[in-house]
Every structure is written in structure tokens, then in C-alpha cells.
Amino acid sequence: MTDQRNPQQAAAEGASPQPSIHQPESETTGDMPETCDDSQGETSDVESTSEDPLQLALQGKQEYEEKYLRAMAEMDNMRRRMQRERDEERKLAALPVLRELLPAIDNLSRAVAAAAQGSSVDDLRQGVEMVLAQTVEAFGRLHVSPIDGLGQPFDPNVHEALTQIPSAEVPPMTVVQVVEQGYRLHDRVIRPSKVIVSVEPPTA
């Protein structure tokens, strides 16, 4: 049978088929892979975590005020406690003195009781002398000492002159009699000695 096809068709059919090129699905469909845009989310996170500087300053101010108030309250409590302790010490300041003098008072009470029972004058005098010596010893333990006066030059820092008497036996302004004994605590005068001092006798 004679081929009725024209030469061009015959040539086209006789040609070897061209291999088809496989395109990736993404390219053939035109779809682009989805990408995650985190820039907006990161911005929102930063905004949520960052705080207003004014708010931070107000918060710090409040914290310092609370610390200041707590410190002031503690100092006030400490002042009150120290004041109570000082008041207590002042109230009990005489306690050591009383403890030292109580034995002397006990002996003085015994001497008075002995005198009431008709003891002799000598016994009463010895009892009083014993109480006096015990009191002086107690004063010594408390660092209280008598002020030297008799025969000493008059010292206005430790002596109080009651009167003056002429005397040719001692230099003028010498203590010739102690009317009332003075005492000092350590170096501080508790009370001065009341004394009589000498002056030059009048000239003939």
C-alpha cells in the first residue's frame, strides 16, 4: 500500500521521541516553600520582657524606702533598749555601796542592842569603833578615801575653811583642825573637808 501521508508527517512520526524533562513538583506547581517570619515575634518578646525605665526607678525607690524605714525602726528599738538599760543601771548604781555597808549597819545595830541591855561604856565604845573601822574598810573597797587635812597646807580644792585662828606653832594657812572629814572617789572630791586654818598671830 502506498503511504499517503505527506513527507513532513512521515518525517515527524519517524523521528525518535524526545525524552520529557521531569520538573520538581514545587516548580511545576509554582508553590514556594513556606518560611517562618520570626522577626515580628522576636520584637514582641523583647517588648514584653523589657520594662519601662520609669517603672524600674519607682520600684527601686520603693525598695530603698522600705529598707530605710526598717533601718530607722531598728535604730529606734536600739535607742529605747539602751535607754532602758541606762535607766536600770542608774537605779541600781548604789547596789555595790549598799552591799559593802550592810555589815557595818548590822554591827552598829548590835552595838545599840548591847547598850540597851546595860553594857559598859567601854564595850559600847569598842563596838562603835569596830563599826567605824569596818565602814572605812568598805569605803576603801569602793575606792573612797579620806582627804588628808590635819597639818597640811590649806587647799581650796579639797578643803573648806570654816574659820581662822592665830597660831605661832605652824605656818599661816595650815590646817590645824578637821571639823568634818572630806572624802574623794578615785580622784574626784565627794565632799571637801571642813577645816580650821591658822593665821599669823597679832604682833605685840
Side-chain angles (χ1 to χ4, degrees), residues 142-145 147 157-158 183-190:
L142 296 171
H143 307 286
V144 177
S145 59
I147 296 174
N157 295 315
V158 295
Y183 293 90
R184 59 163 57 93
L185 175 62
H186 295 287
D187 294 330
R188 183 168 183 175
V189 175
I190 301 174

Side-chain angles (χ1 to χ4, degrees), residues 76-152:
D76 188 56
N77 292 334
M78 183 180 298
R79 263 195 311 270
R80 292 180 180 178
R81 183 170 61 253
M82 293 177 65
Q83 184 64 39
R84 288 195 299 268
E85 292 176 354
R86 284 195 295 266
D87 293 341
E88 190 71 15
E89 289 177 357
R90 280 194 291 266
K91 287 192 297 184
L92 301 178
L95 186 59
V97 179
L98 295 175
R99 285 175 176 169
E100 292 292 342
L101 293 179
L102 283 177
I105 293 175
D106 293 338
N107 287 332
L108 185 58
S109 299
R110 295 186 184 99
V112 172
Q117 293 175 2
S119 298
S120 64
V121 176
D122 290 339
D123 292 339
L124 181 59
R125 180 180 57 81
Q126 291 177 0
V128 174
E129 289 177 349
M130 182 180 65
V131 173
L132 178 60
Q134 193 171 14
T135 304
V136 172
E137 291 177 359
F139 276 11
R141 289 191 293 270
L142 296 171
H143 307 286
V144 177
S145 59
I147 296 174
D148 294 332
L150 188 60
Q152 300 292 324

Side-chain angles (χ1 to χ4, degrees), residues 139-174:
F139 276 11
R141 289 191 293 270
L142 296 171
H143 307 286
V144 177
S145 59
I147 296 174
D148 294 332
L150 188 60
Q152 300 292 324
F154 176 78
D155 184 355
N157 295 315
V158 295
H159 300 145
E160 179 183 347
L162 298 179
T163 187
Q164 295 177 332
I165 59 173
S167 177
E169 299 177 356
V170 294
M173 300 304 294
T174 301

